[in-house]
Amino acid sequence: MEREREGKFPGVPTGRFPSGRGPIAAGARTLPAVAAALIVGACGGETSIVSPKGPAARSVTGLWWPMLATATAVFAFVAGMLLLAAARGRRKSDDDAKVTPRWGEPFIVVAGVGISGAILVGFFLFSLSRVQALTDAGRRPDVTIGVIGHDWWWEVRYPNGATSANEIHIPAGRKVRLNLDTDDVIHSFWVPSLGPKIDMIPGQHNSLWLEAARPGVYRGQCAEFCGLQHANMLIRVVADTPAGFDAWIAREAEPADAGAAGGRDLFEHQTCAGCHTVRGTQAQGKVGPDLTHFARRDTLGAGVKPRTDENLAHWIADPQSVKPGVTMPPITLPADQLDSLVAYLEGLR
Ligand code: CUA
């Protein structure tokens, strides 16, 4: 009797229905990561709102600091008055305490109405001018990129026809306009170090100015609760040099290399092709991300794991254990076929 060959990925279920690790166990594994991300973010990490890495984000921070300073000053003033009133109230007799101040007293008119109103109207106009600058459709962008939110990943469309997912390449030092739409529910696009946050609303086209001063990788996150995997709907913006960006999108628009025939055949004839496109092959599914140049991305499942052979094998065999609720079904294959499928996908560069 022939024994089933041991696969390259010993921990990965093959040949039969995958392990019973459910959403709760997976959720418990991601909790420490979420807690760490919150702490790092709050202390000025990669996704901090107060460490802008481009002019659009700087414009938001330039609004935030004066607002914080003014709000702090108003709070200190009001708290001071309250303490003063409490201290005075104690010294007065019961009769005096019953006197209520009349409307029209200069202090109430000036401090309560005049100054408060002026601060609110001032900040309203100040923020309107910033919003106008950040979303102005008349601004002439150097590049326009379309981003479409899906449960729970991002489709990215470049001006030359290239389609990709989850990792958005932009040229550094250039004005990038993002046209933002959604395919299902409300998502919110937010890369704090590069620009403001804006919702993707069904039936409405929104746009956003995003700009990175220097090449680098900038992280972001869906900022509107959109279901089970909202927290794992991550964004990576990769800012290349302008020449690097041109080369990158030119390659991205090309069809896939032929690749190893065995793996390609599996991809085209297994469940994969029903949902994914690999341009240049028979796989033309439109439900999941375009995988034509899959191996040029650094992560899997919209940033949920680094793209390694082992993580990819896990993802294919049992995606629900990696990202519970994801639309992708488990693909149960014998070990040798899983190896060829992983090798094929890793060759899509
Ligand atoms: Cu998409 Cu939250």
Side-chain angles (χ1 to χ4, degrees), residues 17-31:
F17 199 77
S19 69
R21 258 186 323 213
I24 293 171
R29 282 199 306 276
T30 57
L31 263 182

Side-chain angles (χ1 to χ4, degrees), residues 187 222 224-226 230 233:
H187 301 277
C222 179
E224 178 73 40
F225 181 72
C226 54
H230 156 69
M233 193 167 166

Side-chain angles (χ1 to χ4, degrees), residues 149-154 185-188 221-227 229-231 233:
H150 297 264
D151 266 347
W152 293 280
W153 59 283
W154 311 90
V185 298
I186 301 177
H187 301 277
S188 187
Q221 159 83 56
C222 179
E224 178 73 40
F225 181 72
C226 54
Q229 287 297 329
H230 156 69
M233 193 167 166

Side-chain angles (χ1 to χ4, degrees), residues 88-162:
R88 274 191 182 177
R90 271 205 199 142
R91 289 202 300 269
K92 284 189 176 177
S93 71
D94 283 355
D95 292 347
D96 290 343
K98 291 206 176 96
V99 177
T100 42
R102 280 177 305 110
W103 167 253
E105 273 187 29
F107 178 74
I108 294 181
V109 172
V110 173
V113 181
I115 297 179
S116 304
I119 290 174
L120 290 175
V121 170
F123 271 120
F124 177 64
L125 296 176
F126 185 23
S127 57
L128 268 192
S129 70
R130 297 286 165 127
V131 168
Q132 179 77 6
L134 291 167
T135 57
D136 187 7
R139 178 184 294 278
R140 191 170 291 165
D142 298 308
V143 187
T144 301
I145 297 171
V147 179
I148 301 165
H150 297 264
D151 266 347
W152 293 280
W153 59 283
W154 311 90
E155 182 179 344
V156 190
R157 294 186 180 169
Y158 295 93
N160 65 349

